[in-house]
Amino acid sequence: MGHNGVMTDPALAPRNAFVGVLIVWAVAFVASIGVGIFVAEEWRVPWLLVVFGAIVLLSFAVQLQYGRTQGFIFRVGASTIGALLLMGVISVGFGLAALVT
């Protein structure tokens, strides 16, 4: 009988896929707060676009690292759209704060 290589054991309790989505949201939150605090008002929107591009790449990386094909598009979409909405709410907050001062 031939040797077909090492068999892998199936994961009995696979990792929760939603944790990757929460990680991306947390990074988006911290990055957008950082942009709002450390970047001048006239450069906030371009830097938020750069941060969002990095968030999209991070979303793909985190979900690829998870290693499951089932629901990949849904998880990447949830990560990306959630981060976009979160960054939008934070940028509106910083915009309103700029109007008040």
Side-chain angles (χ1 to χ4, degrees):
M1 186 160 292
H3 181 64
N4 292 331
V6 179
M7 289 181 54
T8 58
D9 293 331
L12 297 178
R15 295 174 293 193
N16 189 357
F18 194 64
V19 171
V21 174
L22 291 178
I23 289 171
V24 172
W25 290 354
V27 170
F29 178 78
V30 170
S32 59
I33 294 291
V35 166
I37 292 173
F38 296 115
V39 175
E41 288 181 27
E42 61 271 5
W43 287 100
R44 281 187 189 153
V45 172
W47 273 104
L48 282 172
L49 291 173
V50 170
V51 167
F52 182 68
I55 291 296
V56 170
L57 294 176
L58 176 69
S59 174
F60 275 107
V62 167
Q63 295 307 325
L64 284 173
Q65 186 271 338
Y66 179 66
R68 295 196 56 190
T69 57
Q70 295 85 9
F72 175 78
I73 299 297
F74 178 75
R75 292 190 310 267
V76 169
S79 298
T80 306
I81 292 173
L84 178 67
L85 292 174
L86 181 67
M87 291 175 70
V89 168
I90 291 171
S91 66
V92 165
F94 278 116
L96 292 175
L99 288 176
V100 171
T101 58

